[in-house]
Amino acid sequence: MTDHEPENPLVAAERDIVALGIAVAAIIMLVGTGGSVLPEAIAALLGDGGKPNVILVNALLLNIALIIFGWRRYRELTREIAERRRAEARAQLLAATDPLTRCLNRRSMIEATEALRKLAETRGEAIAYCMIDLDNFKQINDMHGHAAGDAVLVMVCDRVRALLPREAQLARLGGDEFAFVTTFPTGHPERVDDLVVRIYESLAQPLRMPELTVELTVSIGLACDHDIDRATGAEVDGNALMHRADMALYHAKKQGRNRYFWFEPSMENELRFRNQLETGIRRGLARGEFVPFYEQQVDVESGTLVGFEMLARWRSPQLGLIGPDIFVPIAEEIGLINELSERLMEQAFRDAREWDESLTLSINISPVQLRDPWFAQRLLKRLVAAGFPPQRLEIEITESCLHENVGLVRSMIMSLRNQGVQISLDDFGTGYSSFEQLRNLPFDRIKIDRSFVSELKEPGQRSRLVEAIVSLGRGLDLPLTAEGVEDEEILKALKTMGRLKAQGYLYGLPEDAEGVRARLAAAGKLITPRTEPGVTTRPAAKAPLPPHRAAQG
Ligand code: C2E
Ligand code: CA
Ligand code: CA
């Protein structure tokens, strides 16, 4: 064994047993012989006895030395054991806790939940499992850095811990997800509701740090081991509880976050359907089942077609034609929105290159896409690759984008505009944009949300809101588009409001590329595809169209 190798504990223990044996033997010898030798030796030392037996006195001294040696070794050993126990305990604690917040981690939470459940069972009590997810944590991390993010996690954890009953167990499950498990009197889940409400109240207070103050909201999912499965009589164990709380949490997030739900059996079906959709979307993306549809945009005054808004559709072999309201949020959640959107754009650029050059193409961009700092660069690259003129492209962003990170959005808008791309503010009036933002952000157009436009439906009806938005647009020198123009009545009202673009079912439902080609061919607004340097020609269209007639216009 070299100096650096740790001593084999078995060898050390053996040696300790030998040392202890020697000490015990020494004590026995001392007791056996010491009785007669000791007084003799002391008397000799004091000078009033005869000469002591040297051998016996030596044996006595050796005896005492051995006892001291054994005793010291024993003390060392007990100290060593205590040290080892402490180290073991520390290692166990580290393995069981989250180093940042010092609460339990996911692994140890499973055991803690089971333990508390058994304890509650013996007392005839119930337990509730509560999952907490911070709604906008990623944003805090992205905008203020990881140190601020960590501080937020610690503060949230402390606030929750301060409100929990003594027996409750709190864990950080990972990232920005926390969970706690607590007992409550069976049949009184309202006690848990009270606790959760207090947690909401506490977390609603701004989190103050030396450099900044952060506000956040949380979504919560709850499940309990009683009351639910009385029908089946099935036992709900710790794992099932966790899974159910997770489903309730997912439901809370889908309902708009910043709220809590108790688990209900229907959530299981909801989640199953959602998972099927998710699998379907992944598969559909690989199989090219997502296609662009196009909605006409028309100049109100002249009635001429000025462009199209691309609207995504999913041609699912199982579910039929699915709208973006269903699949866009899921694609955002599972991180596929960029890929999906880029595929659709590529297709749309190819389609639109065949349209008359006067026609624009509008594309919707979700707030999630705008979080990517390289979004503008990637889009411009795609435009170049497709050989589509940026001047014909319009990007539609909603007001919620501005809520997220105005600085980033602003710089992206600027770089797109520098290349000639136009930017519209979509669904205007439904979000939070302030006059300040409207004035400072270089938009090219405002789109009036269809919920306001539909107010013009009744004959003779005026909509003060639409009029207000129109005059706001005029004041800011921003052109306007009215969405959701469904009938002549609305169109008539819009015609009195000056120069506008309009789109809606009055002009036809959104249609696929073939439909648009046929429409444009009939109107003489298709051009024969040109081969530009560095640009590959599009593959032949399925339905052959009469290009000559189209080109003659
Ligand atoms: P949006 O940008 O407000 O698009 C207009 C929506 O209103 C479309 O629904 C369209 O079909 C519908 N619509 C058009 N005219 C009328 C009308 O006269 N009456 C009524 N009631 N509705 C009308 P759609 O296609 O279901 O799109 C919903 C939303 O999904 C869009 O709202 C847009 O925000 C988003 N979206 C669509 N395509 C994409 C996409 O490729 N990427 C992203 N990120 N979002 C998309
Ligand atoms: Ca839009
Ligand atoms: Ca819209």
Side-chain angles (χ1 to χ4, degrees), residues 153-380:
L153 291 175
V154 172
M155 278 189 268
V156 167
C157 187
D158 289 346
R159 285 192 190 180
V160 174
R161 188 170 11 222
L163 293 169
L164 294 184
R166 202 173 43 81
E167 271 176 359
Q169 298 277 8
L170 176 64
R172 179 175 169 215
L173 301 181
D176 59 346
E177 210 174 68
F178 293 90
F180 69 80
V181 57
T182 184
T183 56
F184 67 94
T186 306
H188 292 280
E190 75 278 0
R191 302 276 178 90
V192 182
D193 290 81
D194 290 345
L195 174 61
V196 168
V197 168
R198 269 181 284 133
I199 289 175
Y200 270 102
E201 282 166 0
S202 168
L203 294 179
Q205 304 301 316
L207 301 165
R208 289 182 208 289
M209 285 165 266
E211 309 271 285
L212 78 151
T213 298
V214 170
E215 297 197 20
L216 56 75
T217 58
V218 296
S219 301
I220 287 181
L222 288 165
C224 70
D225 62 343
H226 279 58
D227 307 328
I228 297 164
D229 271 15
R230 257 198 228 129
T232 61
E235 191 177 327
V236 189
D237 66 6
N239 262 331
L241 267 178
M242 220 164 156
H243 184 53
R244 288 179 171 190
D246 202 20
M247 284 189 264
L249 170 64
Y250 176 74
H251 185 79
K253 284 202 259 182
K254 257 193 54 194
Q255 294 298 310
R257 298 159 192 265
N258 193 19
R259 61 200 70 210
Y260 79 94
F261 281 92
W262 281 94
F263 168 80
E264 279 170 35
S266 65
M267 292 174 186
E268 215 145 13
N269 299 333
E270 184 192 326
L271 198 70
R272 199 168 301 131
F273 181 57
R274 156 110 188 12
N275 287 341
Q276 278 169 4
L277 276 180
E278 188 182 316
T279 320
I281 290 171
R282 287 184 197 282
R283 199 183 308 135
L285 192 59
R287 294 183 183 169
E289 289 167 11
F290 291 89
V291 290
F293 267 49
Y294 301 96
E295 179 169 311
Q296 300 176 59
Q297 298 177 317
V298 174
D299 180 78
V300 167
E301 219 172 36
S302 62
T304 39
L305 178 69
V306 289
F308 291 92
E309 176 177 359
M310 191 269 275
L311 296 164
R313 294 289 181 270
W314 176 20
R315 279 196 175 121
S316 160
Q318 286 83 32
L319 305 165
L321 194 65
I322 310 284
D325 288 342
I326 304 284
F327 62 79
V328 165
I330 300 179
E332 286 177 345
E333 215 182 298
I334 60 179
L336 283 183
I337 187 68
N338 277 323
E339 193 183 335
L340 175 64
S341 180
E342 285 181 8
R343 294 262 194 100
L344 286 165
M345 271 186 221
E346 240 168 54
Q347 184 60 48
F349 294 154
R350 245 179 292 165
D351 292 338
R353 271 193 357 175
E354 299 186 348
W355 307 341
D356 188 276
E357 277 162 359
S358 65
L359 297 172
T360 58
L361 170 69
S362 296
I363 282 178
N364 293 282
I365 298 300
S366 91
V368 175
Q369 289 174 274
L370 286 186
R371 283 188 203 143
D372 171 11
W374 299 106
F375 170 78
Q377 265 55 43
R378 291 221 312 263
L379 176 63
L380 291 171

Side-chain angles (χ1 to χ4, degrees), residues 98-135:
D98 166 52
L100 178 68
T101 57
R102 306 210 168 274
C103 51
L104 300 180
N105 58 25
R106 181 182 284 274
R107 202 166 53 94
S108 53
M109 183 61 168
I110 298 174
E111 285 162 35
T113 304
E114 262 317 287
L116 197 63
R117 196 175 68 85
K118 298 244 161 71
L119 181 74
E121 215 167 57
T122 59
R123 291 194 204 144
E125 287 182 337
I127 67 165
Y129 192 98
C130 174
M131 239 179 216
I132 306 174
D133 191 274
L134 313 194
D135 290 333

Side-chain angles (χ1 to χ4, degrees), residues 32 35 37 69 86 99 107 133 198 235 255 284 288 300 415 452 490 499 550 553:
V37 178
F69 163 74
R86 266 198 297 274
R107 202 166 53 94
D133 191 274
R198 269 181 284 133
E235 191 177 327
Q255 294 298 310
V300 167
S415 45
F452 305 129
I490 298 178
R499 204 162 178 131

